[in-house]
Amino acid sequence: MMSSTTSRSLMLATGLATLAMMQPAMALDAQTFVDRIAAVYEVGGYNITFGPATLEGDTVTVDGATVSLLGLEDESWTIDTTLTFSGVAETEDGGFTAESLTIPDIDTEFAQDPVGHLTMTDVEANDIYLPPADAINNLALLESVGSITTGPLTVTRDGEDFFSIQSISAVNEFTYDDADTLIDIASTFDVAGISANLQTMAEEDPEAGPVIEALGLTQINGSISQIMTWDMTDGHLVIEEFLFDFDEVGALDITADISGFTPQVLDKVAAMQSPTIDLTSEEAQAQQMMVGMELLQALTLTSASVRYDDDSLAGKLLDLFAAQSGADRAQFVEGLKAMAPQMIGQAGIPALTDMAIPAINAFLDDPQSFEIAVRPATPTTLLVLSAAAANPAGLISALGLSITANQ
């Protein structure tokens, strides 16, 4: 038979081993977790105060929160619902991860006269990462969430449909090197099924109403989408698409391709935007100027463009303004075409006038598309382009500026 001393020793050893294995789980503290979230988002200019947080297993439940912008604490937004973080774990270096954040469906009034009612369903964030306390920076803010999605959002005004969205989706795909350093972000952002009913506004506003009716904008439908990649190593940022597309209105697409926007540059820009800095002081202004010069030197432009594709809005505007002037559309367009050279010529850049007028005339005659693009022959720093601005004609050439219509 085992002696009592041996038995007690084994029980003590077993207890110590069990306690040692439990330490990582016991180290997870709900308050520390939500405090870390607040610290990460403070870098982005947000002041978040969470309600009481409790831990059960690997789930942290938070009783609401108050959110405001730093420096604008009097204009806060209260989240009066339960926030549930699932799959929460602490990393070896003192950071945190969570599989998801979910909140109950929202169904609330937000205004009384007129009565505004908001509903929103299926709100969820996934793949949450919070760094150790000593590694919080702007890059940590960028990689804090893998995706945010929602279901339908609706806003009613005095019980009538006013605004709705079918879904929202923001997805980030992160690439890391062998040392677990973030090297690339690929992002997509989609707001699908946007619908706005402007009939009530048209009925209530004596000035806007006739315009809304004439343009056929009592009901508008569309979507917003963005595709972007960002390489951390050389700061190569490519906005492949930033598209606002609305039926029977038109589509506006913005693209850009720049290099040099590294995390270090981002940190410098963010530091100068801190609400604690007195921008009226000479020291702060001098520092801003230095940062501005560093940005001009660091950032390289490969291309950028703004393109509008008409879906009847331009034609309706021309018809409306022609009617208001007492002329038919053809006469009104000819008048605009006669005025355009003088208006563009006020810039004092003949090369710009020569480039812009043919495109403007073509679009006025037949509104299909209009694009302004810059594509330097070789990628060029913004500092070089700024220096070229002393000679506007030279700047047009350096930028590779083009203005085209209906192409």
Side-chain angles (χ1 to χ4, degrees):
M1 180 179 294
M2 182 181 295
S3 68
S4 60
T5 300
T6 302
S7 178
R8 285 196 298 271
S9 297
L10 285 173
M11 290 176 63
L12 178 60
T14 302
L16 290 173
T18 301
L19 181 63
M21 288 187 292
M22 291 176 61
Q23 286 305 304
M26 293 176 64
L28 179 58
D29 178 74
Q31 191 60 48
T32 303
F33 174 73
V34 295
D35 287 347
R36 189 68 52 81
I37 297 175
V40 168
Y41 280 84
E42 185 176 3
V43 172
Y46 296 94
N47 183 14
I48 304 178
T49 302
F50 287 100
T54 57
L55 173 67
E56 183 175 346
D58 63 355
T59 299
V60 173
T61 304
V62 186
D63 187 14
T66 301
V67 183
S68 65
L69 295 175
L70 292 175
L72 297 173
E73 282 75 14
D74 292 339
E75 301 177 14
S76 60
W77 172 43
T78 299
I79 303 174
D80 189 17
T81 190
T82 302
L83 310 176
T84 303
F85 295 88
S86 303
V88 180
E90 186 171 10
T91 60
E92 294 181 357
D93 59 2
F96 293 97
T97 59
E99 293 177 1
S100 65
L101 160 64
T102 56
I103 67 174
D105 292 347
I106 299 170
D107 188 347
T108 183
E109 288 187 358
F110 62 87
Q112 294 300 320
D113 187 21
V115 176
H117 195 97
L118 168 70
T119 63
M120 192 173 188
T121 63
D122 301 327
V123 182
E124 185 170 336
N126 292 288
D127 300 326
I128 297 167
Y129 168 69
L130 307 172
D134 60 357
I136 294 174
N137 53 30
N138 287 284
L139 195 58
L141 176 62
L142 291 174
E143 59 180 326
S144 61
V145 179
S147 66
I148 299 175
T149 58
T150 77
L153 175 153
T154 61
V155 176
T156 60
R157 188 174 184 268
D158 284 340
E160 298 291 332
D161 290 343
F162 179 67
F163 179 79
S164 64
I165 292 174
Q166 182 178 340
S167 64
I168 301 173
S169 173
V171 179
N172 297 313
E173 295 184 2
F174 304 113
T175 303
Y176 298 86
D177 62 15
D178 293 339
D180 270 348
T181 301
L182 180 64
I183 58 174
D184 184 76
I185 302 176
S187 302
T188 59
F189 175 69
D190 292 284
V191 183
I194 300 173
S195 179
N197 181 2
L198 304 185
Q199 182 65 50
T200 303
M201 184 183 298
E203 295 171 352
E204 295 179 354
D205 191 326
E207 294 184 2
V211 176
I212 292 173
E213 293 282 356
L215 297 178
L217 297 180
T218 53
Q219 179 75 38
I220 59 176
N221 302 283
S223 62
I224 301 172
S225 58
Q226 183 183 56
I227 303 172
M228 183 184 75
T229 59
W230 186 13
D231 190 327
M232 304 290 106
T233 55
D234 60 1
H236 189 193
L237 177 68
V238 179
I239 301 175
E240 297 180 22
E241 172 186 285
F242 191 12
L243 178 65
F244 301 79
D245 190 359
F246 288 84
D247 299 341
E248 298 184 12
V249 175
L252 180 69
D253 191 16
I254 301 169
T255 69
D257 185 337
I258 63 174
S259 295
F261 195 62
T262 62
Q264 293 75 22
V265 169
L266 177 63
D267 287 340
K268 290 180 179 179
V269 173
M272 292 310 302
Q273 295 176 339
S274 170
T276 61
I277 296 178
D278 180 10
L279 296 178
T280 63
S281 69
E282 292 184 3
E283 181 181 357
Q285 291 175 1
Q287 183 64 28
Q288 275 196 318
M289 185 175 295
M290 290 181 61
V291 171
M293 291 297 292
E294 290 181 26
L295 284 175
L296 292 175
Q297 178 63 46
L299 299 181
T300 297
L301 174 67
T302 298
S303 66
S305 67
V306 178
R307 178 185 175 92
Y308 172 72
D309 285 276
D310 188 56
D311 191 13
S312 79
L313 178 62
K316 292 175 181 177
L317 284 170
L318 290 173
D319 289 337
L320 174 64
F321 295 144
Q324 291 177 343
S325 70
D328 62 30
R329 176 167 163 175
Q331 292 172 322
F332 182 73
V333 166
E334 289 305 314
L336 289 179
K337 290 164 67 174
M339 294 169 54
Q342 182 179 358
M343 296 175 62
I344 303 298
Q346 290 178 357
I349 310 173
L352 178 61
T353 303
D354 294 342
M355 179 183 299
I357 294 305
I360 292 173
N361 290 345
F363 185 78
L364 289 172
D365 285 336
D366 182 17
Q368 295 181 40
S369 68
F370 196 86
E371 181 177 38
I372 301 174
V374 291
R375 297 182 179 88
T378 58
T380 308
T381 67
L382 298 189
L383 184 61
V384 170
L385 294 174
S386 298
N391 175 12
L395 178 60
I396 290 176
S397 177
L399 283 170
L401 177 66
S402 65
I403 302 175
T404 57
N406 302 341
Q407 293 185 9

